[in-house]
Amino acid sequence: MDRQTRPETMRENDVIDLLIQQHALIRELFDEVDRCRGKERKEAFSRLARMLAVHETAEEEIVHPYARRKLVGGDAIVDNRLQEEEEAKELLCRLDEMDATAPGFTQELERLRAAVFAHAAAEERYEFSELKACTSEGQRRAMAVGVKAAEAVAPTHPHPGVTSPAENILMGPPLAIMDRARDLIRKAMGKPESGEG
């Protein structure tokens, strides 16, 4: 993943703009996986899986807790988003364990795409628009800094069942270290990285 697609290095300084830009990047990454074949498809899927994993971890650590506390009906809004995220994580985890060239991969990828796009649309409509209305520019800038920091240490692969801020704070860095170590070991051994089949 190059510097421009690493979520923690994106230039947007308003958390809403940052997350919406990441949603656009996720759509582009799905399109890239569709266009690619063979080894390139595995690599494209690995980039998509990393982006989804770090994006959702950052939302779970920074954005959802704030929305839960500050928005009218915040608990219901966040609970609905977390349910959607868990469903998407389970699909992503299944795909992460498949070979990107295997029969059935494309069908599962389309299921994931539909779930992720519906989730992003719901976030933008029900959570982000409300957050923008009840926060100052300074608060949104501070949250963007927090999101980027969380994304820098987030796990790089899906871990279903890890959804609470406390679990992410406790498990995020160790899972990220394990994910990165596993990928480095696999690369050193000439094996495909996790998410590459």
Side-chain angles (χ1 to χ4, degrees), residues 152-164:
V153 298
T156 59
H157 300 284
H159 295 279
V162 179
T163 58
S164 77

Side-chain angles (χ1 to χ4, degrees), residues 30-192:
F30 270 106
D31 290 344
E32 181 183 359
V33 174
D34 276 342
R35 286 191 307 272
C36 294
R37 295 292 173 259
K39 183 179 179 192
E40 289 79 24
R41 188 173 213 198
K42 293 174 186 179
E43 292 168 357
F45 179 74
S46 184
R47 287 190 294 276
L48 172 64
R50 180 193 188 277
M51 181 68 204
L52 289 169
V54 298
H55 175 80
E56 293 306 331
T57 297
E59 286 181 339
E60 290 164 4
E61 288 182 19
I62 307 296
V63 180
H64 296 329
Y66 191 89
R68 193 179 290 280
R69 287 190 318 269
K70 298 293 183 180
L71 299 183
V72 173
D75 284 333
I77 291 169
V78 171
D79 288 344
N80 288 336
R81 301 302 71 80
L82 289 175
Q83 182 179 356
E84 295 160 2
E85 287 171 16
E86 187 62 20
E87 290 168 14
K89 277 185 197 177
E90 289 171 7
L91 284 168
L92 183 59
C93 198
R94 240 188 343 264
L95 280 161
D96 198 39
E97 294 170 355
M98 291 177 78
D99 184 325
T101 61
F105 182 87
T106 300
Q107 183 178 357
E108 287 296 302
L109 183 68
E110 287 309 309
R111 289 181 61 210
L112 176 64
R113 180 195 306 257
V116 168
F117 287 10
H119 169 67
E123 275 185 334
E124 291 176 17
R125 180 175 181 188
Y126 300 111
E127 189 171 10
F128 297 173
S129 63
E130 294 297 316
L131 277 174
K132 191 153 191 142
C134 77
T135 54
S136 69
E137 189 177 313
Q139 289 169 317
R140 290 191 305 277
R141 273 197 311 269
M143 280 195 288
V145 169
V147 164
K148 289 178 184 182
E151 288 174 340
V153 298
T156 59
H157 300 284
H159 295 279
V162 179
T163 58
S164 77
E167 287 173 323
N168 276 309
I169 289 167
L170 290 173
M171 295 302 296
L175 289 173
I177 291 166
M178 288 186 291
D179 287 346
R180 289 182 180 108
R182 182 181 60 224
D183 289 346
L184 287 171
I185 291 165
R186 285 172 166 245
K187 188 174 184 178
M189 298 302 291
K191 296 178 181 177

